[in-house]
Each structure stands twice: as C-alpha cells, then as structure tokens.
Amino acid sequence: MIREIVKDTFFLSQKSEPATRQDQPVIQDLLDTVRANADRCVGMAANMIGERKTILVAQAGKDYLVMVNPKIVDHSRQCYETEEGCLSLTGQRPVKRYSVIVVEYLDRKFKRKKQTFRDFEAQIIQHEMDHFEGIII
Ligand SMILES: [Zn+2]
C-alpha cells in the first residue's frame, strides 16, 4: 500500500526500534511507497511512512534493496562531502559520507546478510540509517 510521507520533524527525530517478522507488511508498504516516488526519491526509511522500525529500502540498479535492522560493521577511513535532499524535507543539505561501508542486515525474508556497498548505494544506506537515529540530514 502506498503510504503518505511523514514530514513532521518531531516524529522524524525519534529513534526507531528493531523490526521483527511481524513488521513484514511495513516492508511491502515501503517498497510500494518508494516506487510511487521513484522520480524524486532513491531510498526510504520506515519512519518516513510513520513506522519507527529499523527497515530501509534503497535503490540498487533497477531494483530495491530491503534491509531490516542493518548495522554498519566496517567502513572506509575515507569520507567525502556531498549534498543530499530528502523527501521529508525541502532543499539540499551538506553531509559527510563514507565511500565504502560493510553492512550486516536481514533481507526481506529475514535471512542474515553481510555485504559491501560503495559510492551512491553506500550513500543512500547511510542517509536512511541516519533516519533510524532520528537524524534528518
Ligand atoms: Zn531522508
């Protein structure tokens, strides 16, 4: 189901909690909502659709990557500065991101994965994971 995008900064500044299998419907809603906004959005955290759970979706090639309870377990020393926008905010803001991150997460079927991401994909994941901490760029 396509959900409305939350823009309430008080809600968005609260931390998200780990997701469980009961949160499966949130994954589908996130995918539906990110696809519906594909022209202006490359990823989404669950709190952007009103669910404070650590679930994110990120564009990866032609499809979307689903990450449940992701953790960055390693990253490059190198950071770079860039600007990002967010569907929940207007305008672009400066941020610092790691070029390479290693993430442990559960996939859509709650299977444990560990994967290395670089550049744009790594950037989207870091942005969405900031949402889990209540950080809105
Ligand atoms: Zn955002």
Side-chain angles (χ1 to χ4, degrees):
M1 185 175 66
I2 299 169
R3 308 264 295 258
E4 209 177 308
I5 304 296
V6 174
K7 295 190 173 166
D8 176 353
T9 49
F10 177 74
F11 181 85
L12 292 171
S13 68
Q14 296 173 57
K15 283 196 181 192
S16 296
E17 287 166 12
T20 65
R21 283 175 190 273
Q22 261 98 55
D23 297 309
Q24 290 272 13
V26 177
I27 298 175
Q28 190 56 51
D29 286 359
L30 259 183
L31 285 168
D32 293 344
T33 310
V34 78
R35 285 195 178 107
N37 289 282
D39 55 330
R40 57 209 173 105
C41 168
V42 289
M44 202 168 273
N47 66 350
M48 293 173 70
I49 59 164
E51 305 282 353
R52 284 195 293 108
K53 298 288 174 169
T54 53
I55 305 171
L56 67 84
V57 292
Q59 209 175 70
K62 281 180 188 161
D63 206 7
Y64 290 90
L65 194 71
V66 173
M67 287 184 165
V68 177
N69 304 339
K71 265 200 190 89
I72 294 176
V73 292
D74 203 1
H75 59 75
S76 54
R77 267 209 251 159
Q78 199 189 350
C79 271
Y80 62 95
E81 287 181 36
T82 183
E83 287 205 337
E84 291 175 2
C86 178
L87 210 51
S88 289
L89 298 169
T90 43
Q92 301 260 319
R93 302 193 185 183
V95 285
K96 273 190 183 167
R97 296 297 183 205
Y98 299 115
S99 328
V100 184
I101 53 172
V102 181
V103 189
E104 271 181 8
Y105 63 99
L106 302 175
D107 71 6
R108 225 190 142 158
K109 293 178 176 136
F110 283 71
K111 232 177 97 188
R112 194 162 288 283
K113 296 262 170 95
K114 186 174 178 181
Q115 210 177 329
T116 302
F117 298 92
R118 296 162 199 284
D119 309 319
F120 193 49
E121 281 175 20
Q123 184 184 356
I124 303 168
I125 293 164
Q126 288 170 85
H127 176 107
E128 304 313 335
M129 285 186 71
D130 277 354
H131 277 290
F132 297 161
E133 297 301 317
I135 299 166
I136 341 163
I137 48 168

